[in-house]
Amino acid sequence: MTALVPSLSRSLAEQFNVFRVMDHGTHEKQLSNVFAWLLDAQGTHELGDAPQRIFLDLVNAARPEDARLPTTGYAIAQEVVTPGHEGMLDPESADIADIVLSSPNAAVVVENFGTSDGHGHDYRRYLALGTAGGRAAAVVLLCERRATHLQRDGWEQAVVVTYAEYLHALRAHVADDRAWARTHPDQRFFIRQLIEHFVEGPAAMNTEDTLAFLTAMCETGESARYGQRPRDRVAQEFGDLIAAHARRQLEDSRALLASTKRALRAFASTTLTGQVNDRIAAGPIEKVVTRFVGQWEWCVELQRADGFPTVFLEFGPTAVVEKERVPHMLHDPDYSQVFITLQDAEVGGISRIAQTGVRLTEVLDGLATDDVRLRDAVLMVVAE
């Protein structure tokens, strides 16, 4: 694995894709914008209602024959408020559907998410939005991966359409329309990039990189796979092997982050607060908090008295995010360390970030009560 992964990184990491350049598609709203553009028969893709027909064909394939919907004639809207309690458009009790295809007689209400999961949304409200006015309607989970076990609370009744299913069908249509391809090179390029990024994944960048991978396969005893059949199954098994290692590494590293957070909070509560408050001139630490989630989760917050700016001990993924938000970025950050940041009291966010020299492994092993490196880092950042 250690021999093969470098060859994979050489082949994949640097390949150009417009979506990777823009870091696009990391949020569902970004992807919803792209799919809404495709589904709009008046869209600048100039494919007319073909993308809409392709999508409705996939939806209808999962519905009974007598419940199939018209395949064209829909207007497209995004971020549509669904009915709340008792069918009223109450903002406090309503949901927001990502994409809605609507016509006088039919509607499709789409929830776009990474997996086929309602993730807290109310299926009944989505359906009520679609069936308003007595229309025939379908609720669709548009997603990257099917996860049937996550579909509950009504979402098991939703139609699931994956990105791959839709984009593969769209690619087949585009490939057959040579006149469109010839007269719309920009749109063709965009759709090709979309499919490559969200469905196929990057291909080998050049012959040298492909040869490097082949050599690594031979040197690691994996070359027998080239002689095995059927090829699709062999490729899938090899991909599953790589994925299993990656999955385990991600799970283990997430557990390490959680353990580090617990240990860092304990040290801040029992030792660091006293160390700082014995030395600080004003704005002592009053409270140690770990309240953030998501990309901000790997953080211990040192709240101070009298409105003085808060100090944060951050590490791992949170440090990566914060590094990009300060006026003066760090050069060559070492993410094996704990970082310290200072709240920007005027505009929000943070005004400064610095490394502390304290490694995560030291935090996990337990910092000594006479270790003053974090104390000195706090005093330094509040003094500037």
Side-chain angles (χ1 to χ4, degrees), residues 61-93:
R63 291 168 62 84
E65 188 171 349
D66 59 355
R68 292 181 178 176
L69 303 174
T71 57
T72 60
Y74 298 93
I76 307 300
Q78 292 180 256
E79 303 290 309
V80 180
V81 177
T82 67
H85 296 311
E86 299 179 354
M88 301 298 291
L89 290 178
D90 175 11
E92 294 186 359
S93 66

Side-chain angles (χ1 to χ4, degrees), residues 3 5 12 27 40 68 87 97 103 105 107 151 178 190 208 215 276 279 304 312 314 324 333 348 360 364 369:
V5 167
L12 308 183
H27 190 277
D40 185 357
R68 292 181 178 176
S103 73
N105 300 316
Q151 292 174 236
R178 295 184 179 180
F190 182 85
E208 288 299 320
T215 301
V276 171
R279 292 291 189 93
R304 300 167 65 202
F312 303 94
E314 299 174 336
E324 305 294 333
L360 303 188
L364 288 168
T369 55

Side-chain angles (χ1 to χ4, degrees), residues 23 295-296 314 317-331 333 335 339 341 349-350 352-353:
D23 197 22
Q295 62 182 354
W296 314 108
E314 299 174 336
T318 301
V320 174
V321 175
E322 295 286 44
K323 178 180 70 70
E324 305 294 333
R325 302 174 69 230
V326 293
H328 303 288
M329 291 177 58
L330 287 174
H331 295 291
Y335 293 112
F339 292 73
T341 65
I350 62 171
R352 187 162 187 270
I353 185 170

Side-chain angles (χ1 to χ4, degrees), residues 2 19 22 29 45-46 68 115 123 137 191 196 204 217 225 242 250 255-256 276 278 281 292 316 352:
T2 56
F19 290 93
M22 296 188 301
K29 179 62 168 65
H45 47 70
E46 302 290 344
R68 292 181 178 176
T115 55
Y123 173 84
I191 291 173
E196 183 271 317
M217 290 286 282
R225 295 181 188 271
I242 300 289
L250 184 61
L256 183 144
V276 171
D278 287 343
F292 297 112
R352 187 162 187 270

Side-chain angles (χ1 to χ4, degrees), residues 28 32 55 79 82 95-100 108-123 126 138-144 155 158-161 163:
E28 63 185 68
S32 293
F55 184 71
E79 303 290 309
T82 67
D95 252 327
I96 295 179
D98 292 323
I99 305 172
V100 177
V108 180
V109 185
V110 178
E111 174 57 28
N112 175 36
F113 194 57
T115 55
S116 58
D117 178 6
H119 61 106
H121 293 291
D122 193 321
Y123 173 84
Y126 278 57
V139 178
V140 174
L141 286 166
L142 180 61
C143 58
E144 184 177 1
W155 287 103
V159 175
V160 177
V161 176
Y163 300 160

